[in-house]
Amino acid sequence: MKSTQRSSGKPASKSTSLLTADQRKELLSYMLMAREFDTAMLRLYRQGKAFGGVYSQLGNEAVSVGSAYALDRDRDVLFPMHRNIGSHFVFGQDLDQLMVNHLAREGSQMRGTDGTGHYADPARRIYGNVSHLGAMIPVAAGFSLADQLRGITTVSLTFIGDGGAQVGEVHEALNFASVHKIPLILIIENNQYAYSTPNSLEFACERLSDRALGYGMYGTTIDGTDVELVYATCLEAVERARRGEGPSLIETRTMRMRGHAEHDDFSYVPKDLLEEWATKDPVETYITRIVRDGVMTADEVKALRETTLATMIASIDRALERAWPAPEEGFKNVFMSI
Amino acid sequence: MKSTQRSSGKPASKSTSLLTADQRKELLSYMLMAREFDTAMLRLYRQGKAFGGVYSQLGNEAVSVGSAYALDRDRDVLFPMHRNIGSHFVFGQDLDQLMVNHLAREGSQMRGTDGTGHYADPARRIYGNVSHLGAMIPVAAGFSLADQLRGITTVSLTFIGDGGAQVGEVHEALNFASVHKIPLILIIENNQYAYSTPNSLEFACERLSDRALGYGMYGTTIDGTDVELVYATCLEAVERARRGEGPSLIETRTMRMRGHAEHDDFSYVPKDLLEEWATKDPVETYITRIVRDGVMTADEVKALRETTLATMIASIDRALERAWPAPEEGFKNVFMSI
Amino acid sequence: MQMTYLEAIADAMRHEMRRDDNVFMIGEDIGTYGGAFKVTKGFLDEFGAKRIIDAPISEAAIIGSAIGASLNGMRPIVEMQFMDFITNGFNQVVTVAGTTAYRWGLPVPMVVRGPSGGGVGGNPFHSRNSEAWFAHATGLKVVCPAFPDDAKGLMIASIRDNDPVMFFEHKGLYRKIKGEVPEGEHIVPLGQARVVRKGTHCSVIAYGSAVHMALAAAEALASEGIDIEVVDIRTLVPFDQETVFESVRKTGRALVAHEAVLTAGFGGEIAARIADIAFQYLDAPVRRVAAFDSPTPFAPTLEQAVLPNAEKIQAAVRELCNF
Amino acid sequence: MQMTYLEAIADAMRHEMRRDDNVFMIGEDIGTYGGAFKVTKGFLDEFGAKRIIDAPISEAAIIGSAIGASLNGMRPIVEMQFMDFITNGFNQVVTVAGTTAYRWGLPVPMVVRGPSGGGVGGNPFHSRNSEAWFAHATGLKVVCPAFPDDAKGLMIASIRDNDPVMFFEHKGLYRKIKGEVPEGEHIVPLGQARVVRKGTHCSVIAYGSAVHMALAAAEALASEGIDIEVVDIRTLVPFDQETVFESVRKTGRALVAHEAVLTAGFGGEIAARIADIAFQYLDAPVRRVAAFDSPTPFAPTLEQAVLPNAEKIQAAVRELCNF
Ligand SMILES: Cc1ncc(C[n+]2csc(CCOP(=O)(O)OP(=O)(O)O)c2C)c(N)n1
Ligand SMILES: Cc1ncc(C[n+]2csc(CCOP(=O)(O)OP(=O)(O)O)c2C)c(N)n1
Ligand SMILES: [Mg+2]
Ligand SMILES: [Mg+2]
């Protein structure tokens, strides 16, 4: 009766698509938004205008987008991490609002108290994260638990890195979620590195999804560069969750194609590793597939991409025109009521 | 090359003994010490003379004794938990000293600052525990790590309950130990309950040793009522550790035959469960075996048992004659130097 | 109605659970067993396993999931089997719960409660008074009741509060202190100190178990002609500076007492505030009586030596009055 | 030799690692990468992977294993990538490390060090000043250097100390503060405050980044004819009461300053001690300047508003001097 399943070792792959042409277009558009958001932020960093760390998701777009796309954004809930901007877009986050939040300008949903992807937008069912890795996993589980007590199934989707997966709270949260059959999906984004630390110094198991067995939950390891595979795997996880079968642990294999944040030259990453993974770029491979399957033409994609980048840059520029939040904001809201 | 191994599900069992008759006698004598220590403490509790919680190990003797017996007490190191008095005896702890420590009287190695099995006796390579479950597992790993840095293999043996295994620090410690191939043996003493909480509310996996896979370490689940099986399993773990193959996770299945501590009437435990496990009493079954194999006669065992109990009671009485430690001790030693 | 401190706490939680479906409890052994101290005895029968959740030994997951549930409209009450184990869920409390209102403008109406304090042979790991950590952590309310009626009234206020509340019950008071407690709805607002004994010569500002030490000291001192005022601050955060100020202005002398260890304890905060705002009214130094800076030892001889008590308060008051 | 604050810390650790094989380091990204702030740059090459251990992201396992190693004769130095993450290893520090000497009479000669503090746009999770938690925990020494020479001398003393030491480096000072640092062996004993500026009108007692704010305030105040004395307490535990007392006795006025949030901060402890032992020498209230009781916000406008600075110290000193 246990939904436990050992992962196959070799990442699975599907050749035919579950998705309609429109859905595939949509997926690509989110992937491009994620990608060009990064391009625009990188540009800002180089201009010395970024504030705080700039954490690229280059190489991870398929995970953020494919997973969030499997959820019902009117019912389910998203707890994204630092490399999941793609999922914010899928959940309908307004671009200008996102930029203002990210850059902590006046009008930010965090009033300048925090920035980057840390914000919550309850109206869009997005809750943010804190810097402490792993801390939000029990919180995501608890969010779903509340609805479970009300007899409602609300799937929580959240993420952790190959590095963050070693935090004790991850263990407690997964075990707790499995005991209570909480509809939680945890994606372990194994992008080979945690800051400068390679997988070999982080854990000694073959697959991080092997941990699912120890919690009596479903676990699998998949190729994280294939957006439709991520989507299909998460969709199954959502369905299991809706059937009351509890949480799923999905390890996605990708490569962090840039430094931990932009200040990091990532010289500790072997060049051939980057070259190898460059051929598996999730955006480029998906474009190839989309074009091959006749969903869009190469020119259409190119145009979409250019528009997307221009939109990102324009939105950033609008955010930058805004002032920093007023100093008084710093003294407000420590408590809801006092 | 991984030493990971799935446990067989059904607890293994060995019929022939690895041990000499003298060794088997010794094992039995430690088991009886553990058992009669409990009998004597229970008596004290009923007399209202015990101080602090009285945590019985009834049903767990084979685990404490068999595991510690597999270590080399001149080289290895023991980090016992609250139901492991048997292992203290195996490591040569002086009985009177143990009682004085336990009952926190004048002359205690803890000077009255703490009591029960919490003390450390470095000369006997015993380090105690703290109440916070799981907290000493990384400490035990670190103790061995220090020797590893010096090129010496020192096996650390430590324990956690089926309940305590859900603490985040357990996860961090096991993962850390496996990455660094630290010679650590962790026994998860699954005695079906954590205080009043049954296994079903504690975890959802089939075997707690299934967690070994997620750390890339050896794991197995065994019958914890069979002292020679526990010994043999731990001996293999010690040998793996000495070969540099890192930590092992061993789940022992037993039943907590009394309440969490003596104040607890354990009415939440189904009577038939207790009856079922009563037939598997580790001490009684070992006596049967020892007698059957002609190692000792039933009368010899009976005599040994009576002497053991008398010795325990006498030692407790000597400890109780001692005064409480002097109040000034409370103000000393917060720092080693100030 | 006469109730013990423990019964008053249970009464408050039962009252709120009956009143509001969003209130639920989570902790270790709180269901079938009714909690290590039997505070939730009978709760499982009345409210069922969905609202009385027996959780695995995972303090971080327990607190974290309560935070998540509170973000989703619930009002969880978390029981720590002993408040000492909060160190295992510390990150959830200070990093997540204590910063959420500030960052997100969202309420985390969670109560984390449990037995704290020493004096009962608990050992170093079952006796800690850790309230000052949370007072220093931002965004957390901190409550330390001393009497049954306050325990009830403050618990109801805490459950209804929209901020995370750390609710420190003193295990030594659970069954020792009995008192009249209003039936049904009874609210003591957070942030209001209470003068529990009027006096003129010296103010003793205390909370939790130390209030009872101060009251015992007051009796003894009265026979010597020293008449002290005892202020029970009840909630550390928010702190009722006014009531403390009024008392010290009147008496001109201030002794601060708590059971927690002295250094960097909340007594330092109180004494510092008095030394600032009431300076010109002070006729003597501001002094503190607190535990010696050590873990709480196990043996009764040692434990009694390091913990504060009525005699230590008496001695300190005498010194201040003779200053 | 002129060194930055960061170089002085690295110099101290290098010195001790060369001198004593039992000293080793463990932390996240301290090897190949040389640490998030590059404090251990070059250490891996010099000392090898056995003594510079790049650990998984597991603060409890990192600290716990360091405790275990120290029980077995080593002198580990633990780097927290940011001191904020100590909340994940909090239980190991306060429950295990801080109680071992008392319980077992065994030394835990471990240093837990890392960047703390704000003012650099770190966000609420990369800016916390948490030293007061540890000062209130028993059995832990707490060090907060403000200058390169002290950073080196206190680090060497901490590594050689037989008790667990929490060593708070202020990340804003890492590259900002440069000064003369003795080469080779240089020890500043724990528990000794230092008068870093002599003055007569008011004592400002501070530590860490606040010492620099106080010195800046002193310059500004000097031009108004107010001559303040600045006492850098350097180690919170053990606390050098004598030096503080001497200064306040002389000036008759005391302002306590730190970057940590006000409530239940270590400033409360200092102010309380002054209000007790130096009461009869005080000509004015004891006042504190500290951060507003909120998480440290991200946007520079907000962060500057809530954190203390030289101007706030100046204003407070002026008030005290006009009292
Ligand atoms: C508990 C905790 N410890 C340390 C850090 C510092 N830190 C931030 S990101 C990071 C590396 C994270 O690696 P990984 O989890 O693999 O995620 P990735 O950045 O690769 O996506 C570290 C060590 C942290 N944020 N939280
Ligand atoms: C971190 C922590 N949380 C809670 C407790 C309180 N507590 C002490 S023993 C216990 C039950 C332990 O059960 P288990 O680990 O199965 O060991 P057993 O007593 O059954 O041998 C609990 C909840 C604790 N000691 N530490
Ligand atoms: Mg990674
Ligand atoms: Mg158990």
Side-chain angles (χ1 to χ4, degrees):
Chain A
M1 289 284 77
K2 287 272 163 57
S3 58
T4 304
Q5 183 180 301
R6 279 291 306 285
S7 53
S8 63
K10 251 186 50 181
S13 106
K14 306 216 168 165
S15 57
T16 55
S17 181
L18 289 167
L19 296 154
T20 66
D22 278 350
Q23 287 177 311
R24 299 179 83 186
K25 264 191 216 169
E26 210 178 2
L27 274 184
L28 179 64
S29 75
Y30 289 133
M31 299 257 278
L32 289 176
M33 286 172 85
R35 174 65 52 96
E36 302 311 340
F37 172 83
D38 267 9
T39 315
M41 285 303 292
L42 185 56
R43 181 170 156 276
L44 203 65
Y45 178 80
R46 294 203 171 126
Q47 291 168 343
K49 290 190 201 153
F51 181 67
V54 171
Y55 301 91
S56 167
Q57 70 199 303
L58 203 78
N60 192 54
E61 296 87 347
V63 176
S64 302
V65 169
S67 60
Y69 200 72
L71 266 64
D72 178 341
R73 42 177 161 145
D74 296 324
R75 301 170 62 181
D76 298 324
V77 66
L78 179 70
F79 283 82
M81 280 282 293
H82 58 300
R83 300 192 206 280
N84 299 116
I85 285 292
S87 68
H88 291 242
F89 293 131
V90 176
F91 260 61
Q93 176 62 42
D94 176 79
L95 183 62
D96 281 356
Q97 183 66 61
L98 184 147
M99 293 297 184
V100 167
N101 292 346
H102 213 87
L103 298 165
R105 300 306 158 118
E106 199 165 23
S108 159
Q109 290 177 296
M110 301 182 82
R111 305 173 299 110
T113 61
D114 204 351
T116 67
H118 285 189
Y119 65 90
D121 190 343
R124 290 182 178 77
R125 306 187 67 74
I126 302 173
Y127 291 81
N129 60 314
V130 300
S131 300
H132 291 57
L133 298 165
M136 293 305 286
I137 304 175
V139 178
F143 195 98
S144 289
L145 175 70
D147 279 333
Q148 198 176 51
L149 302 180
R150 299 178 180 119
I152 302 168
T153 301
T154 299
V155 179
S156 281
L157 170 64
T158 189
F159 306 85
I160 191 74
D162 48 289
Q166 319 318 320
V167 172
E169 289 172 334
V170 180
H171 167 72
E172 295 196 2
L174 288 179
N175 182 64
F176 179 81
S178 191
V179 168
H180 289 280
K181 295 228 172 293
I182 293 176
L184 175 78
I185 302 175
L186 176 65
I187 299 194
I188 303 186
E189 303 179 308
N190 183 350
N191 61 5
Q192 317 297 322
Y193 283 84
Y195 212 145
S196 71
T197 308
N199 276 190
S200 60
L201 289 173
E202 293 284 337
F203 54 84
C205 55
E206 280 175 39
R207 288 166 295 273
L208 285 165
S209 64
D210 286 346
R211 293 186 176 165
L213 188 77
Y215 303 116
M217 65 171 64
Y218 178 90
T220 189
T221 291
I222 60 168
D223 177 1
T225 66
D226 179 345
V227 66
E228 295 197 11
L229 175 62
V230 172
Y231 167 74
T233 308
C234 289
L235 196 64
E236 282 172 22
V238 169
E239 285 161 0
R240 269 193 307 278
R242 296 228 198 279
R243 286 195 304 267
E245 292 170 17
S248 297
L249 184 65
I250 301 168
E251 179 191 15
T252 56
R253 295 261 172 99
T254 58
M255 176 71 205
R256 199 192 70 203
M257 298 301 288
R258 298 203 54 82
H260 171 62
E262 287 307 325
H263 66 268
D264 168 14
D265 70 3
F266 58 120
S267 53
Y268 49 80
V269 179
K271 289 288 152 291
D272 49 354
L273 198 60
L274 291 168
E275 279 161 22
E276 179 200 327
W277 282 89
T279 65
K280 299 188 247 180
D281 182 291
V283 174
E284 298 305 337
T285 53
Y286 198 50
I287 290 174
T288 307
R289 203 164 149 194
I290 287 277
V291 172
R292 186 201 59 201
D293 290 359
V295 176
M296 287 174 86
T297 68
D299 284 348
E300 281 168 349
V301 172
K302 189 159 174 283
L304 176 59
R305 191 162 190 164
E306 280 163 11
T307 330
T308 304
L309 178 58
T311 312
M312 291 293 156
I313 291 176
S315 181
I316 286 182
D317 287 347
R318 278 192 295 279
L320 287 180
E321 271 164 31
R322 296 192 177 219
W324 292 109
E328 307 84 75
E329 295 296 336
F331 301 103
K332 292 183 194 157
N333 248 41
V334 175
F335 293 100
M336 297 302 293
S337 58
I338 196 94
Chain B
M1 291 284 81
K2 286 272 165 58
S3 56
T4 305
Q5 182 179 302
R6 277 295 303 285
S7 52
S8 61
K10 251 186 50 185
S13 105
K14 305 215 169 166
S15 56
T16 55
S17 179
L18 287 168
L19 296 156
T20 66
D22 279 351
Q23 286 177 313
R24 299 178 83 185
K25 266 191 214 170
E26 211 178 2
L27 274 184
L28 179 64
S29 75
Y30 289 133
M31 299 255 280
L32 289 176
M33 287 173 82
R35 172 66 52 97
E36 303 311 340
F37 172 84
D38 267 11
T39 315
M41 286 301 295
L42 185 54
R43 183 171 155 275
L44 203 65
Y45 178 79
R46 295 204 171 124
Q47 292 169 345
K49 290 190 200 150
F51 182 68
V54 171
Y55 300 93
S56 167
Q57 69 200 303
L58 204 79
N60 193 53
E61 297 88 347
V63 176
S64 301
V65 169
S67 60
Y69 200 72
L71 265 64
D72 178 342
R73 42 176 161 144
D74 297 324
R75 301 170 62 180
D76 297 326
V77 66
L78 180 70
F79 284 81
M81 280 284 293
H82 58 299
R83 299 192 206 278
N84 299 118
I85 284 292
S87 68
H88 291 242
F89 294 132
V90 176
F91 260 60
Q93 176 63 42
D94 175 77
L95 182 63
D96 281 357
Q97 183 64 64
L98 184 147
M99 293 299 183
V100 167
N101 292 346
H102 213 87
L103 298 164
R105 301 305 156 119
E106 200 167 22
S108 159
Q109 290 177 297
M110 301 181 83
R111 304 173 300 109
T113 61
D114 205 351
T116 67
H118 284 188
Y119 65 91
D121 189 344
R124 288 179 179 80
R125 305 186 69 73
I126 303 173
Y127 290 82
N129 61 313
V130 300
S131 301
H132 291 56
L133 298 165
M136 293 305 285
I137 304 176
V139 179
F143 195 97
S144 288
L145 175 70
D147 279 334
Q148 198 176 54
L149 302 180
R150 299 177 180 120
I152 302 169
T153 302
T154 298
V155 178
S156 282
L157 170 66
T158 190
F159 306 86
I160 191 76
D162 48 290
Q166 319 316 322
V167 173
E169 288 173 333
V170 180
H171 168 72
E172 295 196 2
L174 288 178
N175 182 63
F176 180 79
S178 191
V179 168
H180 288 280
K181 295 225 171 297
I182 292 176
L184 175 79
I185 302 175
L186 176 65
I187 299 194
I188 303 186
E189 302 180 308
N190 183 350
N191 61 4
Q192 317 297 323
Y193 282 85
Y195 213 144
S196 71
T197 309
N199 277 190
S200 60
L201 290 174
E202 293 284 337
F203 53 85
C205 54
E206 282 176 36
R207 288 167 295 273
L208 285 165
S209 64
D210 286 346
R211 292 185 179 167
L213 188 77
Y215 303 117
M217 64 170 66
Y218 177 90
T220 190
T221 291
I222 59 168
D223 176 2
T225 67
D226 179 345
V227 66
E228 295 197 14
L229 175 61
V230 172
Y231 167 75
T233 308
C234 288
L235 195 64
E236 283 171 22
V238 168
E239 284 162 1
R240 269 193 307 278
R242 296 227 200 280
R243 287 195 303 268
E245 291 170 16
S248 296
L249 184 66
I250 300 168
E251 179 191 16
T252 56
R253 296 261 172 98
T254 57
M255 176 70 204
R256 200 192 69 203
M257 299 300 289
R258 298 203 55 83
H260 172 61
E262 286 307 324
H263 66 268
D264 167 15
D265 70 4
F266 57 118
S267 52
Y268 48 82
V269 179
K271 289 288 153 288
D272 50 354
L273 198 58
L274 291 168
E275 280 161 23
E276 178 199 328
W277 282 89
T279 65
K280 298 188 247 180
D281 182 291
V283 174
E284 298 304 339
T285 52
Y286 198 48
I287 290 174
T288 308
R289 203 164 147 192
I290 286 276
V291 172
R292 186 200 60 199
D293 291 359
V295 176
M296 287 173 88
T297 67
D299 284 347
E300 281 169 348
V301 172
K302 190 161 173 279
L304 176 59
R305 193 162 186 164
E306 281 164 8
T307 330
T308 304
L309 178 58
T311 311
M312 291 293 156
I313 291 177
S315 181
I316 287 183
D317 287 346
R318 277 192 296 279
L320 287 181
E321 273 164 29
R322 297 193 178 218
W324 292 109
E328 307 84 76
E329 293 299 336
F331 302 103
K332 292 181 193 159
N333 248 39
V334 175
F335 293 101
M336 297 303 293
S337 59
I338 196 97
Chain C
M1 208 181 137
Q2 286 284 312
M3 280 187 201
T4 63
Y5 182 92
L6 183 146
E7 286 163 351
I9 292 163
D11 191 53
M13 296 193 295
R14 210 180 291 109
H15 185 267
E16 289 304 287
M17 289 203 56
R18 286 176 185 164
R19 186 183 150 271
D20 182 353
D21 281 347
N22 291 319
V23 181
F24 75 98
M25 292 194 63
I26 182 164
E28 293 156 16
D29 306 295
I30 61 172
T32 313
Y33 197 68
F37 287 84
K38 303 282 179 192
V39 177
T40 56
K41 203 177 148 191
F43 278 49
L44 181 66
D45 284 344
E46 179 167 355
F47 303 109
K50 279 201 162 186
R51 296 181 69 198
I52 304 294
I53 302 179
D54 261 338
I57 305 175
S58 297
E59 282 77 9
I62 291 171
I63 298 170
S65 62
I67 295 170
S70 71
L71 285 171
N72 195 359
M74 305 295 279
R75 296 190 166 274
I77 304 174
V78 174
E79 173 169 308
M80 291 284 103
Q81 195 159 87
F82 285 81
M83 264 297 187
D84 303 67
F85 304 130
I86 195 77
T87 52
N88 283 45
F90 194 74
N91 185 52
Q92 287 294 328
V93 175
V94 304
T95 303
V96 186
T99 66
T100 300
Y102 193 64
R103 292 179 294 118
W104 293 349
L106 297 177
V108 175
M110 166 181 72
V111 178
V112 178
R113 53 159 287 273
S116 75
V120 298
N123 93 19
F125 311 108
H126 292 81
S127 311
R128 203 189 277 269
N129 293 284
S130 59
E131 61 279 359
W133 288 338
F134 303 99
H136 188 55
T138 81
L140 304 168
K141 291 176 177 167
V142 181
V143 179
C144 300
F147 298 97
D149 55 347
D150 281 346
K152 176 171 177 179
L154 290 166
M155 177 59 85
I156 294 184
S158 297
I159 295 169
R160 297 192 193 175
D161 201 275
N162 276 334
D163 291 303
V165 178
M166 302 299 297
F167 196 96
F168 290 85
E169 301 164 7
H170 195 285
K171 68 175 77 66
L173 304 181
Y174 269 156
R175 298 192 151 82
K176 197 169 92 184
I177 305 292
K178 227 183 156 111
E180 193 58 34
V181 176
E183 273 171 82
E185 178 117 346
H186 167 59
I187 297 176
V188 175
L190 305 189
Q192 295 185 6
R194 174 187 184 186
V195 178
V196 292
R197 184 187 196 279
K198 288 220 169 283
T200 51
H201 296 137
C202 179
S203 300
V204 179
I205 325 293
Y207 60 86
S209 63
V211 174
H212 299 282
M213 301 173 200
L215 289 173
E219 290 307 301
L221 289 164
S223 66
E224 302 170 25
I226 301 178
D227 177 28
I228 66 174
E229 175 144 316
V230 179
V231 182
D232 175 1
I233 66 167
R234 301 196 290 195
T235 65
L236 281 53
V237 181
F239 181 67
D240 179 358
Q241 191 161 285
E242 265 321 295
T243 302
V244 172
F245 175 73
E246 287 305 326
S247 177
V248 176
R249 188 172 64 167
K250 184 177 78 177
T251 64
R253 288 181 168 80
L255 179 79
V256 180
H258 57 54
E259 192 190 292
V261 297
L262 181 77
T263 296
F266 198 76
E269 181 62 31
I270 302 174
R273 294 208 191 195
I274 293 171
D276 185 345
I277 58 168
F279 178 74
Q280 63 253 58
Y281 302 101
L282 284 173
D283 299 323
V286 184
R287 195 144 291 170
R288 290 173 294 162
V289 169
F292 173 71
D293 285 330
S294 73
T296 309
F298 180 62
T301 38
L302 277 64
E303 190 179 25
Q304 283 157 27
V306 304
L307 290 184
N309 55 34
E311 292 69 41
K312 292 179 190 178
I313 292 177
Q314 279 157 238
V317 168
R318 265 186 228 112
E319 271 183 49
L320 292 185
C321 289
N322 293 328
F323 185 84
Chain D
M1 208 180 136
Q2 287 284 312
M3 282 186 199
T4 63
Y5 180 93
L6 182 147
E7 287 162 351
I9 292 163
D11 192 51
M13 297 195 294
R14 210 181 289 109
H15 185 267
E16 290 303 287
M17 289 204 55
R18 287 177 184 162
R19 189 183 147 270
D20 182 352
D21 281 349
N22 291 318
V23 181
F24 75 97
M25 292 194 64
I26 183 164
E28 294 156 15
D29 307 295
I30 61 173
T32 313
Y33 197 69
F37 285 85
K38 302 285 179 190
V39 178
T40 56
K41 201 176 149 193
F43 277 49
L44 180 66
D45 285 343
E46 180 169 353
F47 301 109
K50 280 201 160 186
R51 296 182 68 198
I52 303 294
I53 302 178
D54 262 339
I57 304 175
S58 297
E59 283 76 12
I62 291 171
I63 297 170
S65 62
I67 294 170
S70 70
L71 285 171
N72 195 358
M74 306 294 278
R75 298 190 164 274
I77 304 173
V78 173
E79 174 168 309
M80 291 283 103
Q81 194 158 89
F82 286 81
M83 263 297 186
D84 304 67
F85 304 130
I86 196 74
T87 51
N88 283 44
F90 194 74
N91 185 51
Q92 287 294 328
V93 175
V94 305
T95 303
V96 187
T99 66
T100 300
Y102 192 64
R103 292 179 294 119
W104 293 348
L106 298 177
V108 176
M110 167 182 71
V111 178
V112 179
R113 53 159 288 274
S116 74
V120 298
N123 92 18
F125 311 108
H126 291 82
S127 310
R128 204 190 275 268
N129 293 284
S130 59
E131 60 280 356
W133 287 339
F134 303 97
H136 188 54
T138 81
L140 304 169
K141 291 176 177 165
V142 182
V143 180
C144 300
F147 298 98
D149 54 348
D150 282 344
K152 176 171 177 178
L154 290 166
M155 177 58 84
I156 293 184
S158 298
I159 295 170
R160 296 193 193 175
D161 200 276
N162 275 335
D163 291 303
V165 177
M166 302 299 296
F167 196 97
F168 291 86
E169 302 164 7
H170 194 285
K171 69 175 77 66
L173 304 181
Y174 268 158
R175 297 193 154 80
K176 197 168 94 185
I177 304 293
K178 226 181 156 111
E180 193 59 31
V181 176
E183 273 171 81
E185 177 116 349
H186 168 56
I187 298 175
V188 175
L190 306 188
Q192 296 185 5
R194 176 187 185 184
V195 179
V196 292
R197 185 186 196 279
K198 290 219 167 287
T200 51
H201 296 138
C202 179
S203 300
V204 178
I205 326 291
Y207 60 85
S209 63
V211 174
H212 299 282
M213 300 173 199
L215 289 172
E219 290 306 302
L221 290 164
S223 66
E224 301 171 24
I226 300 178
D227 178 27
I228 65 173
E229 175 146 315
V230 179
V231 182
D232 175 1
I233 65 166
R234 303 197 289 195
T235 64
L236 281 53
V237 182
F239 182 66
D240 179 358
Q241 191 160 286
E242 265 321 293
T243 302
V244 172
F245 175 72
E246 286 307 323
S247 177
V248 176
R249 187 172 65 166
K250 186 178 78 177
T251 63
R253 288 182 168 81
L255 179 79
V256 180
H258 57 54
E259 193 190 293
V261 296
L262 181 77
T263 296
F266 198 76
E269 180 63 30
I270 302 174
R273 294 208 190 197
I274 293 170
D276 184 345
I277 59 168
F279 177 72
Q280 64 252 62
Y281 302 101
L282 285 173
D283 298 324
V286 184
R287 195 142 291 169
R288 290 173 295 161
V289 169
F292 173 71
D293 285 329
S294 73
T296 310
F298 180 62
T301 36
L302 277 64
E303 189 178 26
Q304 282 156 30
V306 304
L307 291 185
N309 56 33
E311 291 69 40
K312 293 180 190 176
I313 292 177
Q314 279 156 239
V317 168
R318 262 186 230 114
E319 272 183 48
L320 293 184
C321 289
N322 293 330
F323 186 83

